[in-house]
Amino acid sequence: MKQARLARWLAGMAIATAAMSHACALEVLVAQVAPIRGLEAKQGAGYAAGMRLASEAANRRGGVNGHTFALATSMLNNPRKLATVMLSIEGVTSP
């Protein structure tokens, strides 16, 4: 339940970030928090597939107000983008 709430919050923040910045096109980094192992792994895979499909569809249409979306799971091989992901997680989880 908390994971779904956090996922909705992150998606909302990504959309809000995209909507607020009209000056230049940005790549909005979207992270997914979902189970990848155990009994709920299929549910997590479904979330990941849905997020991938939604971001690809939005990007094909030119993004939202020119801003494109990138999923954090596809960014973890790039050290610079991994640092961005880790800072984002820290910002969300810190009080």
Side-chain angles (χ1 to χ4, degrees), residues 3-83:
Q3 291 173 345
R5 188 180 313 157
L6 181 59
R8 284 193 304 267
W9 184 84
L10 287 172
M13 290 303 294
I15 291 169
T17 301
M20 287 189 292
S21 177
H22 297 285
C24 63
L26 300 172
E27 181 178 67
V28 179
L29 184 62
V30 180
Q32 174 190 357
V33 178
I36 58 171
R37 293 187 211 139
L39 296 174
E40 297 180 2
K42 286 184 181 181
Q43 184 179 13
Y47 289 157
M51 289 180 67
R52 182 178 44 78
L53 290 171
S55 66
E56 287 175 358
N59 290 342
R60 272 195 306 272
R61 292 189 306 266
V64 176
N65 294 330
H67 307 296
T68 58
F69 297 92
L71 299 179
T73 55
S74 64
M75 301 291 156
L76 299 181
N77 292 330
N78 184 324
R80 184 169 154 233
K81 292 189 178 184
L82 176 60

